[in-house]
Amino acid sequence: MTDKIGVLGKKSGQRTQRSGVERVVNAPLPTVYGQFRAIGYIDHDRGDEQVALIHGEPGTDGVLVRLHSECLTGDAFGSQHCECGDQLAAALRAVVAEGSGIVVYLRGHEGRGIGLLAKLRAMALQAEGLDTVEANLALGLPVDARDYGAAAGILRDLDVRSVRLMSNNPRKREALIEHGIEVTEQVPLLIQPCESNITYLRTKRERMDHHLPHLDAVGQLT
């Protein structure tokens, strides 16, 4: 891995404005899943603090990677409205089982980029019968406002050239390719649905093109 920190951008008078991601810290992080290193970054373009959790020595090609969008309700509170918390846990277990890999935890992605309070407002509308797409649009917000430039910058800083991407979302694959990271394989990260999230998951499959073939075997949950 490179120790080079940051990318310098445009100059404004005598002041140099930074752009891209800057590596700030590398700390050991023992977890219930295994031993990781937490490498922290500043995203100078958006102002977010980001972190990459690294297990083992991932190398440069065919690295098992998860780009995980921040989800406070799912990751911290165990919400069953989505599958995010279970996906994060599954991804961390997967890289440990693999022997090496990277989970990039993307802050600023809450609610597919609309923010925590807007996400809660959208969830309230979903409780009234709208689906996740309709709820965002009813609030005058984009269906998906996430940007993956910082994720690609982090992977480049870690000397990763190609990845096996743990995701069901084709947009993540397309975004990495657009930013110059090769995706050699898209690895499904399928979570058993429950009554609280089956409608949400079906909407992601039918309206957002997520690859969720396991839903075909799921009947009507009551």
Side-chain angles (χ1 to χ4, degrees):
M1 294 180 187
T2 179
D3 287 324
K4 183 178 179 181
I5 297 178
V7 180
L8 294 182
K10 300 177 181 179
K11 288 187 176 181
S12 176
Q14 298 299 315
R15 183 179 179 183
T16 299
Q17 295 179 337
R18 294 191 175 196
S19 64
V21 295
E22 176 186 358
R23 189 191 298 197
V24 175
V25 63
N26 183 342
L29 185 70
T31 76
V32 296
Y33 308 102
Q35 294 292 327
F36 287 85
R37 284 174 291 133
I39 301 185
Y41 293 86
I42 293 290
D43 176 0
H44 289 290
D45 295 320
R46 301 176 65 89
D48 294 316
E49 297 176 342
Q50 309 290 10
V51 64
L53 299 182
I54 303 180
H55 178 75
E57 298 296 333
T60 59
D61 294 301
V63 179
L64 187 63
V65 167
R66 166 73 177 167
L67 307 183
H68 189 84
S69 294
E70 176 184 26
C71 176
L72 179 67
T73 51
D75 299 339
F77 301 154
S79 169
Q80 292 189 319
H81 182 270
C82 62
E83 80 277 42
C84 299
D86 288 335
Q87 283 190 318
L88 178 59
L92 292 167
R93 291 190 188 100
V95 297
V96 171
E98 179 84 2
S100 66
I102 302 170
V103 175
V104 181
Y105 193 87
L106 293 166
R107 301 188 67 208
H109 278 205
E110 188 77 54
R112 298 194 302 274
I114 64 174
L116 177 60
L117 296 184
K119 181 178 82 169
L120 293 177
R121 292 187 182 102
M123 289 169 62
L125 291 177
Q126 289 170 62
E128 295 175 2
L130 299 187
D131 68 31
T132 183
V133 171
E134 294 165 344
N136 280 33
L137 295 176
L139 293 169
L141 298 170
V143 174
D144 193 336
R146 289 174 292 182
D147 180 85
Y148 296 95
I154 289 169
L155 292 175
R156 281 193 296 270
D157 180 72
L158 297 172
D159 292 332
V160 174
R161 294 187 300 232
S162 67
V163 303
R164 293 158 51 225
L165 182 65
M166 287 186 283
S167 178
N168 310 317
N169 182 356
R171 175 59 190 141
K172 287 185 181 181
R173 177 181 180 276
E174 294 163 3
L176 281 185
I177 293 171
E178 289 170 3
H179 286 287
I181 304 293
E182 181 183 359
V183 180
T184 59
E185 181 184 1
Q186 191 159 337
V187 180
L189 196 58
L190 305 177
I191 303 300
Q192 182 66 29
C194 66
E195 180 182 354
S196 298
N197 65 25
I198 184 64
T199 299
Y200 170 79
L201 293 175
R202 285 175 173 150
T203 299
K204 289 212 298 186
R205 182 176 70 171
E206 294 161 11
R207 303 197 62 180
M208 302 175 70
D209 297 324
H210 286 224
H211 187 59
L212 300 169
H214 67 312
L215 299 185
D216 291 336
V218 179
Q220 187 67 36
L221 294 176
T222 58

